Amino acid sequence: MSDTSCPYDPFKDVRKQKGIHIGHFDGEEIPMILRYHDVRSAAKDWATYSSDTPFRVPIPSEEDVRSYRQLPIETNPPDHTEYRELVEPLFRRPQQQDYIEEIEKMIDRLLESKLRAGIPVEVVSEFALPLQCKALTRLLRVPESEADTWLLWGMHPFLGEDRQEKGADLERYLERKFIEAKQSAPGDDFFSILAHAEFRGRPLTLDEMMGFGNLAFAGGRDTVINMVTAVIGYMAEHPEAITKLRENPKLIPTAAEEFARIISPVSRIGRTCPTGAHVAGHTIKPGQRVALTWASANFDDSVFDAPDEIRLDRKPNPHVAYGFGPHVCLGAPHARTLIRSLLKIISIRLERIDLLTSKQNRLAGPNIDRHGYYDSLEVRFLGLKSLASNGDR
Amino acid sequence: MPKITYIKPDGTPLTIENAEGNLMEIAVENGVDGITGDCGGVCSCSTCHVRITPEWIERVGPASADEKNLLSYEDSADGRSRLGCQVVLNPELDGLIVEVVGS
C-alpha cells in the first residue's frame, strides 16, 4: 500500500469529469455511479435503485455459482425489512463487550502463535483467512471446529477456477446444517435461529434459509481478508502508526473507519432501475443495472479533505464503505469489531512488523482496476521487548 | 459533571448523572435504545440521531456542515436534529434533554 500515489482511487478523473463510468461486465454495459452524493442518494432510494433481483446485486452476477436468492440483501422493503429483522439481533451481538473481548483474545492467540514461531508469516493464508473463519464461528455461534471446513473454500467460495464446485459444496454444507437444525430443538446459533424462525406467521422455507446462509458465507469473506491483510501491510510500512495507536488508543475506532474508507473492500454493488433513472446528467434506461461505486464515493474531494491521504485521526469521516440506507452492511458490526480488535492487539503486542515480500493484486477489473490488495504478504511480527519472552526474534 | 436525559423512542425518559463525552458515547455506554453508534463517532452512519428539545437548542448550537450533510439523508430529520456523536457535553449543558429518533 502506498499513501502517496493512492492506488485505491483510479476513478478520480472520470468521477470529476463525468460522474459516471460505463463499465462492461460479462458483456453487460453497467453505468458505474461515482460521485459521493449520487451514490448515497441512490443507496437510500431503494424503489428507483432496486435490489429485488436475485443473483444480480453482485457485479458480476452470480447465477453460475449459486441457486438461491440471497437474503435479505436481494429483496426490497418491506420484505427486506422483515427478513432482516430475523437475523439483526444476532448480527448486532458484536457490539457487546463480551463479544469484543472474545475477538480480542482470538486475535491475541493467533498473533502469539506467530510470534512464538518467529518465522515469516504469509498473512493472507496464515493469518487473515483463519482469522476470518474463526471469527465467523463466533458471529454465527457455532463451534470453532466448523472453521476447519470453511477454510477449504479459500479466499472465497465463489472465486477461482473451481468456483462452481466450491459454490455447490457450500450449498450442500448449508443444506445439511439447516436440515439438522430443523430436526433439533431450538438453539441460539445462526442455523437454529433460521430453522425455527417465524416469518409472517409461517416457518421459513428451505430456499429462504439457504438464501440467508449463502449471504452469511459469501459476504464478509474476501472483504474481511482484504481488510485484515491491508491493515497489516500498512502497519508494516508505517511502524509509527503502531506507536501512535499504542499511545492514543482512543484513535483505534477512528483509524478503523479510515481503513474501511481507504480499502473500501466492497468496491461496488449492483442495483436495477425498473423505471429508469437520471443521475449525473446520464439517463439510465428502464431495467438497466447500475453500480453504486462505494470505492469511488469514498475519495470524492467535495466531501473528503485530501482523500488520498490515510489519516488515522480523520474525523469526521462520512464514508460509505459499509454501504448506506436499508441495505447497509449486515455484517458491519462484526467487521468493525474485528478491525478495531486487530488494531488494538497489534498496538499492544507488537513493536513493528517487518515486510519481507508482497504480491499485490487488482480488485475491480476489468474496467477500472484498483490496486493495493494482496495476493500474498509475507511479514515477520516483532513483539514489544517488554513482552518478548517467547523467542519472538 | 452534567446530567442528561434521553427521551427514548417509546417515550420513556432515561436520566444519566455525571455524564462525560458525547451524546452517542454516553447513550451506548448506558444502553439507550435507538442509539447504536455503529461508526464510533466519525459521522458516517447516522445511528445516533437525536432531536434537541426546543429550550436547549440555542445552548447546544447548530450542526456542522458534515453533520447537516448526513442528516439531509434522514427522512425524519428536522431543524432540531443532531447526530449525538457530534454533541460533546460541557458544564453549560447540565440538565440537557434530547429525544432519541431511533430507526
Side-chain angles (χ1 to χ4, degrees):
Chain A
M1 183 188 300
S2 161
D3 54 358
T4 49
S5 60
C6 200
Y8 291 100
D9 183 25
F11 305 102
K12 191 174 195 166
D13 294 339
V14 67
R15 179 175 58 240
K16 278 201 171 177
Q17 289 158 15
K18 297 181 179 171
I20 297 272
H21 171 70
I22 304 298
H24 294 86
F25 297 87
D26 292 343
E28 181 183 352
E29 191 174 277
I30 300 182
M32 301 176 76
I33 303 174
L34 301 179
R35 291 177 184 152
Y36 179 89
H37 289 291
D38 291 337
V39 170
R40 221 182 234 276
S41 300
K44 179 180 155 66
D45 183 2
W46 56 265
T48 305
Y49 297 91
S50 172
S51 297
D52 186 16
T53 53
F55 313 110
R56 291 176 60 76
V57 168
I59 299 174
S61 304
E62 293 183 344
E63 287 94 338
D64 63 330
V65 287
R66 56 182 162 100
S67 337
Y68 300 93
R69 175 199 289 255
Q70 283 184 344
L71 294 178
I73 191 172
E74 290 176 342
T75 55
N76 282 341
D79 295 356
H80 172 266
T81 316
E82 291 181 52
Y83 277 128
R84 182 162 173 146
E85 280 168 359
L86 299 178
V87 289
E88 184 87 31
L90 188 71
F91 282 77
R92 283 262 168 211
R93 280 184 61 248
Q95 293 176 324
Q96 294 171 7
Q97 193 54 37
D98 59 337
Y99 189 101
I100 294 168
E101 285 169 14
E102 270 193 64
I103 295 292
E104 287 175 359
K105 280 182 196 157
M106 178 183 285
I107 294 172
D108 197 44
R109 281 196 300 272
L110 188 58
L111 200 56
E112 173 66 27
S113 69
K114 306 301 178 194
L115 273 171
R116 192 169 292 164
I119 54 172
V121 178
E122 199 292 286
V123 176
V124 178
S125 60
E126 295 172 18
F127 191 91
L129 172 63
L131 176 58
Q132 190 277 337
C133 291
K134 283 171 195 273
L136 187 62
T137 66
R138 293 293 192 280
L139 180 64
L140 304 186
R141 305 190 91 157
V142 299
E144 198 170 306
S145 56
E146 288 296 307
D148 296 341
T149 303
W150 307 347
L151 278 167
L152 302 174
W153 298 321
M155 191 73 175
H156 198 287
F158 299 163
L159 289 177
E161 286 179 7
D162 55 348
R163 59 203 295 258
Q164 290 179 336
E165 290 82 0
K166 287 196 294 187
D169 194 35
L170 171 63
E171 288 190 357
R172 282 191 295 273
Y173 173 83
L174 292 174
E175 195 171 303
R176 195 175 74 243
K177 287 288 168 189
F178 283 122
I179 289 171
E180 279 172 12
K182 189 88 180 166
Q183 292 167 344
S184 306
D188 59 7
D189 66 276
F190 174 74
F191 298 106
S192 188
I193 285 169
L194 289 166
H196 297 279
E198 192 173 287
F199 178 75
R200 294 177 177 167
R202 61 165 177 84
L204 291 176
T205 64
L206 181 60
D207 280 12
E208 288 170 324
M209 290 183 236
M210 291 292 285
F212 279 100
N214 211 289
L215 178 63
F217 283 86
R221 178 85 172 195
D222 55 342
T223 48
V224 165
I225 294 169
N226 278 329
M227 278 262 272
V228 167
T229 309
V231 164
I232 291 175
Y234 178 83
M235 291 299 180
E237 289 185 342
H238 298 83
E240 74 284 0
I242 300 179
T243 313
K244 190 172 177 176
L245 295 182
R246 182 164 55 243
E247 288 172 353
N248 189 358
K250 279 198 166 182
L251 276 182
I252 287 173
T254 315
E257 296 303 311
E258 177 69 340
F259 282 120
R261 180 186 75 84
I262 286 283
I263 296 160
S264 294
V266 178
S267 286
R268 58 175 180 259
I269 202 154
R271 295 285 187 263
T272 300
C273 302
T275 56
H278 295 280
V279 57
H282 295 254
T283 298
I284 310 298
K285 292 175 232 158
Q288 192 171 14
R289 191 153 65 134
V290 299
L292 313 189
T293 315
W294 314 116
S296 169
N298 282 338
F299 292 86
D300 190 329
D301 65 5
S302 72
V303 175
F304 301 96
D305 181 34
D308 294 354
E309 286 178 22
I310 300 175
R311 296 178 176 174
L312 301 187
D313 55 356
R314 187 181 292 275
K315 196 175 182 178
N317 186 356
H319 69 81
V320 284
Y322 294 108
F324 180 65
H327 288 284
V328 68
C329 177
L330 182 61
H334 175 71
R336 283 182 158 120
T337 288
L338 199 61
I339 297 304
R340 289 173 189 174
S341 301
L342 177 68
L343 293 173
K344 178 176 170 180
I345 300 301
I346 285 176
S347 70
I348 290 173
R349 299 281 287 171
L350 299 184
E351 183 182 318
R352 65 174 201 274
I353 301 169
D354 283 349
L355 199 160
L356 304 176
T357 63
S358 69
K359 188 177 166 215
Q360 298 209 348
N361 69 12
R362 11 177 271 183
L363 196 78
N367 300 282
I368 295 184
D369 292 338
R370 298 179 67 218
H371 296 261
Y373 298 83
Y374 295 96
D375 280 333
S376 66
L377 173 69
E378 193 184 31
V379 303
R380 184 177 284 118
F381 295 115
L382 298 161
L384 271 175
K385 283 199 174 66
S386 57
L387 295 166
S389 58
N390 292 308
D392 61 331
R393 290 290 186 276
Chain B
M1 297 286 271
K3 177 174 88 172
I4 172 162
T5 299
Y6 294 89
I7 310 291
K8 294 190 280 184
D10 67 3
T12 58
L14 177 72
T15 298
I16 291 150
E17 308 276 351
N18 299 320
E20 198 175 354
N22 65 53
L23 293 186
M24 180 276 289
E25 291 166 345
I26 298 161
V28 169
E29 279 164 21
N30 290 279
V32 175
D33 294 340
I35 295 183
T36 55
D38 292 0
C39 74
V42 300
C43 218
S44 167
C45 70
S46 300
T47 59
C48 59
H49 183 183
V50 295
R51 280 196 202 96
I52 310 297
T53 44
E55 57 271 32
W56 285 94
I57 284 182
E58 206 167 305
R59 268 174 285 182
V60 171
S64 68
D66 284 300
E67 194 183 339
K68 278 184 184 155
N69 199 348
L70 217 59
L71 284 166
S72 71
Y73 290 99
E74 295 299 306
D75 292 334
S76 50
D78 63 23
R80 297 195 285 119
S81 288
R82 293 293 310 264
L83 292 177
C85 68
Q86 303 301 304
V87 180
V88 179
L89 281 196
N90 61 52
E92 278 183 26
L93 298 180
D94 185 21
L96 176 65
I97 302 170
V98 300
E99 300 158 13
V100 178
V101 176
S103 54

